[in-house]
Amino acid sequence: MEGGSTMLFNEEEVKEMSGFKYGAGNDHVEVTCGCTSYCYGDAVGTLRVFANGDLEITCDCTPGCPEDKLSPSAFEKHAGRETARKWKNNIWVMVDGEKVPICKTALLKYYNRTLTKTPNKSQTGRVCHRDEFLSCTKCNKLRRFRLRTREECRGYHDACIDDNWNCSDMPFDKLTCDDDEERGSRRVYRGCVRSATCKGCTSCVCFGCGTCRFTDCNCQTCIDFTRNAKAA
């Protein structure tokens, strides 16, 4: 291990981790990673972990692959992983000769720290994320997403940009298309702190904040928000 790497991770956290080294500029670490597709096999890359929680992957699936600075979810999709949207489990690193999901290593500690530190408030300081509903592409039933935490917002965000999202993909509830749809009389209650049956106001509708926009997402909405936030 190169000198200085313990600035982000101690020796025990990265012991026997293949390809681990401190990156140029001393602002991140690099480690060999991969994602396995049942159809296409292993796609290997280099994961860069930054202290601010950012994660970037350069893909080396084939010689000369042009994919660089991919988010974990984009790398997972590029690798052809069949059960996408679960990158924390699907992307692995080699530890002592074994493939270990990155969620079982210390590599996500800075990423996870940003999730817990980011408040669920808009620039006005108000709680701003009401419950949202999304239709299943198979049964067309509406499913409720509660957006109280960053993880819950990410689950809803990823579902919105998934053209094939269905009931079984619910991130926090086990549902199938056979389960009943929530009654219409209940759907009017969406968690607004100002009014229980609010149809949308400045207290519960958010147009973008650090809780519901993500630096590791490649959708245009997140890219624009991140760019504007850095320019501010």
Side-chain angles (χ1 to χ4, degrees):
M1 187 183 305
E2 296 182 11
S5 58
T6 53
M7 290 175 63
L8 294 179
F9 299 95
N10 61 47
E11 292 279 348
E12 191 62 31
E13 288 175 323
V14 296
K15 185 179 181 181
E16 304 296 333
M17 192 173 289
S18 178
F20 182 89
K21 65 178 182 179
Y22 211 63
N26 295 337
D27 63 343
H28 68 281
V29 299
E30 300 180 359
V31 61
T32 301
C33 69
C35 187
T36 302
S37 164
Y38 298 116
C39 293
Y40 307 111
D42 292 347
V44 179
T46 299
L47 169 66
R48 290 183 291 275
V49 180
F50 295 83
N52 65 358
D54 286 350
L55 303 170
E56 296 178 353
I57 297 177
T58 297
C59 184
D60 300 313
C61 61
T62 58
C65 177
E67 298 296 341
D68 187 22
K69 294 186 178 180
L70 292 173
S71 67
S73 58
F75 176 67
E76 177 191 47
K77 184 176 181 179
H78 176 70
R81 177 70 188 195
E82 293 78 5
T83 55
R85 307 293 181 190
K86 298 180 180 178
W87 60 266
K88 293 181 183 180
N89 291 301
N90 292 335
I91 296 176
W92 44 260
V93 295
M94 297 296 294
V95 180
D96 197 20
E98 299 288 336
K99 293 178 181 177
V100 178
I102 58 174
C103 65
K104 295 184 178 180
T105 72
L107 293 174
L108 295 184
K109 71 177 183 179
Y110 295 104
Y111 173 84
N112 291 333
R113 194 172 297 170
T114 63
L115 298 186
T116 59
K117 283 187 176 182
T118 305
N120 185 28
K121 295 182 183 294
S122 67
Q123 292 180 349
T124 63
R126 297 174 179 173
V127 177
C128 58
H129 296 116
R130 63 176 183 173
D131 298 348
E132 298 290 352
F133 291 89
L134 194 64
S135 295
C136 172
T137 57
K138 291 183 178 180
C139 68
N140 207 38
K141 293 177 181 175
L142 288 172
R143 300 304 187 189
R144 180 187 292 267
F145 285 77
R146 292 175 174 80
L147 309 181
R148 303 297 182 269
T149 68
R150 186 169 168 81
E151 287 283 10
E152 289 173 340
C153 286
R154 184 56 187 261
Y156 174 67
H157 176 80
D158 287 349
C160 285
I161 59 178
D162 184 352
D163 293 334
N164 299 308
W165 184 87
N166 60 76
C167 295
S168 62
D169 295 326
M170 282 293 292
F172 302 105
D173 298 308
K174 292 183 179 180
L175 291 175
T176 69
C177 291
D178 294 329
D179 290 306
D180 292 337
E181 183 180 46
E182 186 173 324
R183 297 192 307 273
S185 60
R186 288 292 307 165
R187 291 202 297 269
V188 299
Y189 300 99
R190 299 178 65 172
C192 177
V193 295
R194 185 186 64 84
S195 173
T197 57
C198 177
K199 295 182 179 180
C201 70
T202 55
S203 294
C204 65
V205 176
C206 178
F207 295 99
C209 71
T211 299
C212 61
R213 299 292 181 259
F214 308 93
T215 58
D216 65 334
C217 177
N218 286 335
C219 79
Q220 195 59 50
T221 300
C222 287
I223 291 174
D224 290 344
F225 177 83
T226 301
R227 184 184 297 119
N228 292 335
K230 289 181 179 179

